[in-house]
Each structure stands twice: as structure tokens, then as C-alpha cells.
Amino acid sequence: MNTQVTLQQTVDALVQKGKGILAADESNPTMAKRFQAIGVESTEEQRRSYRSLILATPGLGEFISGVILFEETLGQCADDGTPLPELARRQGMVPGVKVDRGKVPLANAPGDEITQGLDGLQQRLEEYKTRGARFAKWRDVYHISTSTPSRLAIEANAEVLARYAAICQHQGLAPIVEPEVLIDGDHGIERGAQVSEAVLHAVFHALHRHRVVLEHMLLKPSMVTPGKACTQQAAPEEVAAQTVAVLRRVVPAAVPGIVFLSGGQTPQEATANLDALNRLSPQPWELSFSYGRALQEPALQAWRGDPANAADTQTALYRRAKLNGAARAGQYRSSMETADA
Ligand code: 13P
């Protein structure tokens, strides 16, 4: 099939109304941290068991349009031998893959980092495609402090994100472009807004330079919030207003969807904030979610590595996905948190 048609079909499937993306692409060190919090050792087999379990959640495809997998998961199978990307597909969820190789300090920019993984990317994408991946994700991170992110970090990270996106489109995989402005720090929401605007401005400038087709990508940004340690926290209405103000300045209307990361917000906060964002509709783009922790935390707490907790684990994930599905339409109410618990 023509690459442009393939990319369009993938993007259309991912931005369906009432649905969002499940980020289950934790690298092995990150998964070790998540498992440690629930007293589980992070072995390849435990990761396979947990991820098979959550992907098999009955009805998950009602609220989840796509799932981002880690490279290891692309090659794993459920107990019955079904490859995990195929299990996702049968559930109506498009399988995707995280393709960056993590971050390292950026030389000559103290406190800043750069994401690596461009070398050999095209060949890796060929391989991921044969295992069922239809879209990809790459994450850049920006630390907020009095001296970061530097102009150098903003420019260098934008450049690699754009190169990644261009390579993906060339190979027929829809790129999710993820510039994450971290929530860590004690800065106020205005500083968060200022950094997000500068970062996104540079990212779209680089995407344009690299001739990335904006219609065939998704943006995965952080919401604009105060730092986690800021004494003045913000209500969902304020987060939504500041986030939309920044996005309207810098994200072209040609981008079909903006799928937020949760970035350390609690599951309830992430849902309430997404709901407030969708109450500000109409906007030029679909406003959706691509949550990792905010979807999986309750499921991990329910699981704790015990196969006897399988049904509770799936129920916890389904419930969180459903609440975010409601937030996608601005129809979430906090009373729903307890209603069908
Ligand atoms: P969180 O929602 O936990 O921030 O994870 C999203 C993600 O994919 C980070 O790269």
C-alpha cells in the first residue's frame, strides 16, 4: 500500500473519539523501578506475564486505540503463543514501539540531556514493522531550573526529534513526537508555560525544516503545570487554560492529535486535567491521552506479581481507561471515581 495512505490510516485509528493510547513501553530500568515499588523482581518473564495480562484486559479496546510497546515486548508471546503485538491488534489496539535509546548528558550544557538512537534507526524500523508495529515513539526531556533548558538543549533535542519523525514517515510508521518538559522543580505555572512554548516552537520549526508531514504525526507533550514542589498548585481549569494557550500559539492545526503524557501526575489528576482540556473544545486538534503511569499505577498496585490478582489487575486498568475515555469528551466527573469502584 502507498505509504501516505498507510500513515493516514494509522493516525486515523489512533485519534478515534473516546479513546487514547496506553504507554506500556517502559525501558527495563524504568520497569525495574515500577516493579520494585510493588515488591516484584523485574525479570524478562515477569515483564512478559504482566504485559500479557494487561494487554488481554477484556474490552480494553473500547477506550484504548493504540499501545506503545518496548522493543522486548514486540518479540514476546502470551501463554497461548500469541505474539503480544498480535494480541493488542485482536483487541482493536494498534501496536506501536518506543524507538529511542534513552538519554545522556548533553555536552557543554550542564544539567541538560539529549536523547540518542538515530544511528541504525531505519534498519530497526524495518524489523519492528515485520513484528507488527505501525507507529513509533521518541521521547526528549527538558529539565526546568534557573539555568535549564538551555537554548543549546532546546535546539539540539528539536533536531533529533525531527530527524526521527522524518525517518519514521519514510518507513511508513506514524511518529509520536514526545518533547517532555519535566514536572520536577518548584517553579510556578508561568515558567512552565514559558518553557513549553519555547520547546514546542523549536520542535515545530525543526519538523518543518525536515519536511515532516504534520498530518501524519501525533504530538505527545506535557501539560502546562507548576513544578511538583511548587507551593501554589493549579486547578484543572487553570492547567487546561494555560496548556491550550501555549498549544494554540505553536502547534499548527494540521496536526491531527495531541496525546498528553501523564508525567508524574496522579491518575485522578491526569484524568481531571484532560477532562478540563476537552471542556475548552472545539480546538483544531483532538486532545487525548498517551498515559503510562496514570493508566497503569492502579493495575500494578492490584497485581503485585500474584497471578491470583489477574482479574483485579485487569479491572483496575479497564476502569482507569474508561474514566479517561469520558475525559476525552469532557464528560468526566470526580464522583465517577467512586461510582463503579
Ligand atoms: P507517563 O504517562 O508515565 O509520563 O508515561 C508516558 C510515556 O510514554 C513517557 O515516555
Side-chain angles (χ1 to χ4, degrees), residues 2-4 6-7 11 121 125 129 136 162-177 207 210-218 256:
N2 174 307
T3 303
Q4 301 307 308
T6 306
L7 289 170
V11 164
L121 179 60
L125 294 182
K129 265 197 300 188
R163 287 195 57 202
Y164 138 81
I167 295 167
C168 285
Q169 288 188 340
H170 193 256
Q171 294 302 112
L173 279 98
I176 294 188
V177 170
L207 290 168
H210 285 270
R211 302 177 188 153
V212 171
V213 179
L214 299 184
E215 287 83 351
H216 294 161
M217 60 158 272
L218 298 178

Side-chain angles (χ1 to χ4, degrees), residues 82-93:
T82 309
L84 293 185
E86 173 61 17
L87 173 57
R89 202 192 60 75
R90 285 187 198 161
Q91 289 265 56
M93 306 183 294

Side-chain angles (χ1 to χ4, degrees), residues 28-261:
N28 289 348
T30 302
M31 211 54 201
K33 250 194 279 176
R34 305 276 183 269
F35 276 5
Q36 193 182 20
I38 53 163
V40 172
E41 195 195 342
S42 181
T43 61
E44 188 175 340
E45 175 54 20
Q46 284 287 37
R47 294 191 293 272
R48 188 198 65 84
S49 302
Y50 169 69
R51 284 165 167 157
S52 313
L53 179 62
I54 62 169
L55 291 174
T57 298
L60 193 59
E62 292 165 38
F63 309 109
I64 300 295
S65 57
V67 53
I68 316 174
L69 303 171
F70 187 55
E71 186 177 19
E72 174 186 271
T73 316
L74 275 189
Q76 290 177 327
C77 295
D79 293 343
D80 68 359
T82 309
L84 293 185
E86 173 61 17
L87 173 57
R89 202 192 60 75
R90 285 187 198 161
Q91 289 265 56
M93 306 183 294
V94 180
V97 59
K98 167 198 176 76
V99 303
D100 67 73
R101 296 279 203 208
K103 53 203 172 46
V104 291
L106 176 62
N108 299 326
D112 282 318
E113 295 181 294
I114 183 95
T115 302
Q116 38 184 17
L118 288 175
D119 286 355
L121 179 60
Q122 187 179 324
Q123 292 74 18
R124 283 198 285 131
L125 294 182
E126 284 294 343
E127 170 67 21
Y128 299 152
K129 265 197 300 188
T130 65
R131 299 202 210 159
R134 288 175 54 197
F135 70 97
K137 186 200 93 169
W138 177 294
R139 170 177 178 253
D140 280 357
V141 298
Y142 305 85
H143 300 264
I144 300 187
S145 72
T146 50
S147 59
T148 60
S150 63
R151 177 48 48 188
L152 177 59
I154 290 174
E155 298 293 345
N157 276 291
E159 187 72 13
V160 294
L161 256 183
R163 287 195 57 202
Y164 138 81
I167 295 167
C168 285
Q169 288 188 340
H170 193 256
Q171 294 302 112
L173 279 98
I176 294 188
V177 170
E178 181 181 12
E180 176 171 6
V181 175
L182 295 175
I183 202 173
D184 304 330
D186 61 1
H187 53 274
I189 194 166
E190 293 76 17
R191 170 93 172 123
Q194 196 184 43
V195 171
S196 283
E197 184 172 338
V199 162
L200 291 170
H201 190 265
V203 166
F204 278 95
H205 189 58
L207 290 168
H208 176 75
R209 215 164 42 235
H210 285 270
R211 302 177 188 153
V212 171
V213 179
L214 299 184
E215 287 83 351
H216 294 161
M217 60 158 272
L218 298 178
L219 177 69
K220 176 166 176 170
S222 320
M223 293 177 193
V224 174
T225 64
K228 215 170 172 95
C230 179
T231 48
Q232 187 101 37
Q233 286 301 310
E237 293 69 29
E238 191 182 0
V239 169
Q242 294 266 4
T243 302
V244 156
V246 167
L247 295 174
R248 291 184 69 93
R249 284 184 196 143
V250 287
V251 183
V255 174
I258 298 177
V259 294
F260 295 96
L261 58 94

